[in-house]
Amino acid sequence: MLDNWSQIKTWSVVLPPSRPDSWQLSVIAQHLTGIARNEPVGVLGSTPEFRDLLAELQFENIHVFERNEAFHYLVSKQRVYQNPEVIVWGDWLNTLSDTKNRYAAILSDLTSGNIDYINRAKFYSAIAKALHKDGLYLDRILTHSIPNERVDALCEKYDKLPLNLTNINYFSCEFLFCSELLSLCGRVDSTKFYKVLHERLQTQRLKRFLEFCPLITPSDCVWWYGRSWGDLANDYERNLDVIESIDEPATSPYTLRARLLISRRRDNS
């Protein structure tokens, strides 16, 4: 597996929905209201928005699960707060498995795509076991529950849009994570996708979008997105009970494709 996060050097120009937005943070804050502030809580990855939210809510025992030191230090410089945290270094499949019945909450944003399909069941099982009995898993997922976008239709759309940071971010989301290119290999392979797009995008405007797109999604990265949630949900639901599902806003390029799931571990986990 390629270490995607070693390639990412320009996180400051990455915008929602590729990172948490205000609606998501508001929902999570509401669900964290009843948790004692001295309870341990976890963050999958170094997501600065989650770490700042937990600091603002005055949680005292925050554990950040991270494997890539360079990415962690990069995004930590973009935080509002510099509160104490415990950094748990290593592969999530190992570090989560070393933790049992500990966390009152684990926060996750689009993390499933970092885990190959073969290890999804192990991943969700480790999360469930890391939660204590009433612990919450707050997890936004990209579901691919509707048909993929046609590249020709996306070309027609973006050839009429101004070249700006928001639209470059949305271009990345739709062409790389929501389009028919996913059928090439059942996952996001940015190197392969960029090669195809360099051949297919013909107008000067589209070529300029493509030129800037690697600032958002670099080459040499792989994410395990592309399979329908219907094919993957069993691994999740075998370990976690979804108590609330919140759809992505209609203004997002991930609308009808992403959901914020609030879950607890199943009794058999």
Side-chain angles (χ1 to χ4, degrees), residues 15-242:
L15 302 177
S18 298
R19 55 195 292 177
D21 207 348
S22 54
W23 70 267
Q24 183 182 351
L25 298 173
S26 178
V27 170
I28 290 172
Q30 292 172 18
H31 280 277
L32 297 178
T33 299
I35 298 176
R37 289 334 192 222
N38 61 350
E39 288 261 29
V41 292
V43 177
L44 291 185
S46 295
T47 310
E49 293 88 346
F50 287 166
R51 296 159 64 199
D52 280 337
L53 175 65
L54 293 172
E56 288 182 334
L57 295 175
Q58 299 184 325
F59 280 93
E60 302 167 4
N61 194 357
I62 302 166
H63 292 208
V64 176
F65 289 83
E66 180 58 73
R67 61 175 290 180
N68 189 290
E69 292 190 27
F71 181 75
H72 173 77
Y73 291 122
L74 172 70
V75 300
S76 293
K77 293 177 182 178
Q78 299 172 23
R79 289 193 56 199
V80 176
Y81 305 103
Q82 298 300 319
N83 54 297
E85 299 171 316
V86 176
I87 312 302
V88 185
W89 299 110
D91 188 300
W92 294 338
L93 294 175
N94 298 323
T95 53
L96 284 167
S97 297
D98 291 339
T99 305
K100 307 292 183 185
N101 302 310
R102 177 177 295 180
Y103 293 100
I106 296 176
L107 280 57
S108 160
D109 187 60
L110 302 176
T111 60
S112 295
N114 294 287
I115 308 297
D116 61 51
Y117 300 126
I118 294 173
N119 283 306
R120 288 288 178 87
K122 181 179 178 181
F123 175 58
Y124 296 133
S125 174
I127 290 168
K129 291 175 180 175
L131 293 169
H132 67 48
K133 181 180 177 182
D134 297 316
L136 295 175
Y137 182 44
L138 304 109
D139 176 35
R140 188 164 63 116
I141 59 170
L142 190 56
T143 63
H144 298 291
S145 298
I146 60 175
N148 294 327
E149 299 286 348
R150 293 186 301 109
V151 169
D152 287 347
L154 291 175
C155 287
E156 183 177 351
K157 173 182 176 178
Y158 280 89
D159 206 27
K160 298 182 178 72
L161 294 178
L163 183 70
N164 59 39
L165 185 57
T166 297
N167 287 335
I168 292 166
N169 270 267
Y170 286 11
F171 178 100
S172 172
C173 291
E174 295 202 271
F175 275 91
L176 301 184
F177 290 84
C178 299
S179 81
E180 61 188 331
L181 297 180
L182 293 167
S183 64
L184 295 176
C185 51
R187 65 181 187 270
V188 175
D189 182 329
S190 62
T191 298
K192 179 179 290 188
F193 289 7
Y194 282 135
K195 182 178 179 181
V196 173
L197 292 173
H198 276 293
E199 295 171 354
R200 292 190 60 175
L201 304 191
Q202 298 299 315
T203 72
Q204 187 62 32
R205 182 174 297 274
L206 292 174
K207 289 178 181 179
R208 287 291 281 166
F209 269 108
L210 188 59
E211 181 181 339
F212 284 105
C213 192
L215 293 173
I216 314 305
T217 305
S219 296
D220 299 322
C221 291
V222 170
W223 284 275
W224 278 265
Y225 291 122
R227 292 187 184 177
S228 163
W229 185 242
D231 297 332
L232 301 171
N234 188 54
D235 288 338
Y236 197 102
E237 294 168 355
R238 188 185 303 128
N239 296 285
L240 296 152
D241 279 323
V242 178

